[in-house]
Amino acid sequence: MPDDMTTQQETPSSSTTTTRHVTLDLIRKRSEHNESLVSNLEEIALHQEELTSIGPVIGQTCGKTLRILLLQSNVISSMNFNDANDSLKYMKRLEYLNLALNNIRVVQCTGSGGNNDQTMVMDCCEFLEKLDLTLNFIDVDTLKESVDVLYQLRSLKELYLLGNPCMGVVTEKNDDDSSQIVANKIGAKKVNSGGGGDGKAVKGWSGCRPYIIARLPNLQILDGKQITRSERILANQKLSALIQELDVLAAKCRYEKQKKEETKKNENNKCTNGEEDEEYTEHTPESRIKLSDETYQQKMEKEQIERANQPRIRGEKEFEQEQRVATDKAREREERGDIRQCNEGKWVFQFNEEQKPGYVLLDISIQKHLSSSLIDVDIHPTYVSVVIKSKILRLILPAEVKAEESTAKRSTTTGHLLLCMPKVDPEENMIGIRASSKNRARLKKEEEDK
């Protein structure tokens, strides 16, 4: 191994991606099963939301009651039990956390100083029983630090690390030649199955499972497979050798990553003409973030188009502005002498001269919840003009009235508008009114006699 091999842990490369964390609107949107109540939420699924971090919002709003949190299929790159900007610090009652298909490279418990404070893990998620980290990026160089943090989770019984670079990926083949070909292609080694002639190609560290079993004594299930008593005894016997092997593999892994990063930079500097035959997308956190950014951008564009196609929701201020414009136009037209009866709003109205002799009563049916600020009344001696929600109701009166003595009242029960207008001549139309009143009385008496 080269002498200049570094033992410093590789940190994830910085990205210019905008941080997308869990927001209060997203929590309410995904908590319809709890009537969108956040304070007592116990379970929530936030998968496929293109999140880059958990953020502090979910922990501050429902962290004390949340028991199940599903965050799979995002691009979350941090899992820190002691970060003020991460909600895991506030989730005291969390029992199941699903972070499968994310970009997590290491499980941490670092404070503001950057040093691991593993004793704080018990205070953060002391009831966590199941943790799913399937298909993340935990490699052998960060395995020891991650297991040190998971060791503090005394309630952890079920752990999933399948698909991480640190776990051994076994490929079974029917013949030795095909197995060796596959092993050479993936850069793996060929091991014997023990009693048969079939070969197995293993990529990753084959001692990862026994190492985790020996380090986590309370663990009962690893990658969906029950941990037997004999398996734990064998793992404990090999622990010292596994630790030494892990230290060597971790140092080698860090060196290879550093060398790969330098090679990649040199290749990027050489590719100035931009001519390449084909571009292959590697399965790396950076490539997943890039794809996630493109998907997020497409979602945002789709939502903008949908919002643009939706009808514009007008508020009270918009209605009042339209009311003022319509009122000014109506009054300007009336000043010019252009008086025409109209009922633009199809309002139901009724004149009454019998209920109160000497007065003309006009009852207009208006919906109860319509604001009175959207009603404008203008009474003239021969006609009345009412603008209701930008719609004009203009009527010729059956008799000349005293406009200055007229009143307008609105019922708080029904919302009807009542205009009470005294006549200039109280006896106007009274002959016809008395005749129609007598006629109605006669018809009513005839119906009673029958």
Side-chain angles (χ1 to χ4, degrees), residues 57-302:
V57 177
I58 188 171
Q60 295 171 355
T61 53
C62 55
K64 294 182 179 180
T65 60
L66 202 62
R67 295 172 54 247
I68 299 175
L69 177 58
L70 307 178
L71 288 165
Q72 66 269 26
S73 299
N74 288 290
V75 286
I76 298 172
S77 58
S78 172
M79 183 180 176
N80 196 334
F81 288 95
N82 192 26
D83 188 357
N85 296 322
D86 204 330
S87 292
L88 295 177
K89 183 176 182 179
Y90 307 98
M91 297 182 183
K92 305 289 185 180
R93 297 182 57 190
L94 191 65
E95 298 177 5
Y96 174 33
L97 175 61
N98 192 332
L99 284 167
L101 283 165
N102 278 281
N103 290 355
I104 295 173
R105 299 188 183 187
V106 58
V107 180
Q108 295 175 313
C109 184
T110 58
S112 58
N115 299 322
N116 269 341
D117 188 4
Q118 296 161 8
T119 58
M120 292 292 296
V121 182
M122 281 286 294
D123 298 332
C124 299
C125 298
E126 54 182 323
F127 298 108
L128 186 64
E129 296 181 0
K130 183 177 179 181
L131 177 61
D132 194 342
L133 293 172
T134 304
L135 285 172
N136 278 275
F137 296 89
I138 300 176
D139 210 338
V140 290
D141 59 335
T142 59
L143 179 61
K144 183 180 184 301
E145 181 182 352
S146 300
V147 174
D148 288 342
V149 175
L150 296 178
Y151 175 77
Q152 303 298 326
L153 299 174
R154 300 298 186 182
S155 301
L156 187 63
K157 299 177 181 178
E158 194 169 352
L159 177 64
Y160 292 86
L161 287 171
L162 190 67
N164 284 270
C166 63
M167 300 297 292
V169 181
V170 181
T171 306
E172 296 185 358
K173 294 296 177 182
N174 291 329
D175 54 21
D176 295 344
D177 294 337
S178 60
S179 177
Q180 186 63 50
I181 293 172
V182 174
N184 292 335
K185 286 184 177 179
I186 65 175
K189 61 181 180 179
K190 182 183 175 185
V191 297
N192 294 326
S193 57
D198 296 341
K200 294 183 179 180
V202 181
K203 184 180 181 182
W205 184 35
S206 58
C208 186
R209 179 178 174 86
Y211 173 78
I212 294 173
I213 293 174
R215 288 294 313 279
L216 303 179
N218 296 325
L219 200 64
Q220 299 178 3
I221 299 174
L222 179 59
D223 290 337
K225 185 179 178 181
Q226 190 76 27
I227 300 173
T228 61
R229 184 179 179 183
S230 59
E231 187 179 11
R232 191 177 297 278
I233 293 173
L234 292 174
N236 289 329
Q237 292 175 351
K238 299 178 182 178
L239 181 58
S240 58
L242 291 173
I243 293 175
Q244 294 178 3
E245 184 180 357
L246 177 60
D247 292 339
V248 175
L249 291 175
K252 182 179 179 181
C253 181
R254 296 187 190 104
Y255 173 74
E256 290 177 351
K257 287 184 177 180
Q258 182 180 6
K259 188 175 180 180
K260 185 178 179 181
E261 189 69 24
E262 293 175 356
T263 305
K264 188 176 180 181
K265 289 181 180 179
N266 294 333
E267 290 178 354
N268 292 335
N269 294 332
K270 291 180 180 179
C271 295
T272 56
N273 53 4
E275 296 180 1
E276 295 183 1
D277 296 337
E278 284 188 37
E279 290 186 1
Y280 294 95
T281 302
E282 296 181 354
H283 182 64
T284 60
E286 291 76 13
S287 62
R288 293 194 74 245
I289 290 176
K290 184 177 180 181
L291 293 174
S292 175
D293 291 341
E294 294 175 358
T295 305
Y296 180 76
Q297 186 66 26
Q298 292 173 1
K299 286 183 179 180
M300 292 296 101
E301 291 176 357
K302 184 178 179 181

Side-chain angles (χ1 to χ4, degrees), residues 401-446:
V401 299
K402 300 176 181 179
E404 64 277 1
E405 298 179 10
S406 302
T407 58
K409 297 180 181 180
R410 192 177 181 200
S411 173
T412 57
T413 305
T414 62
H416 285 213
L417 178 66
L418 179 63
L419 303 182
C420 184
M421 299 168 283
K423 297 180 180 179
V424 176
D425 183 6
E427 297 297 326
E428 188 176 356
N429 297 334
M430 289 304 297
I431 298 176
I433 294 171
R434 294 190 186 99
S436 61
S437 178
K438 290 179 181 179
N439 189 30
R440 282 195 299 271
R442 180 177 58 80
L443 293 174
K444 184 178 180 180
K445 185 176 180 181
E446 290 176 356

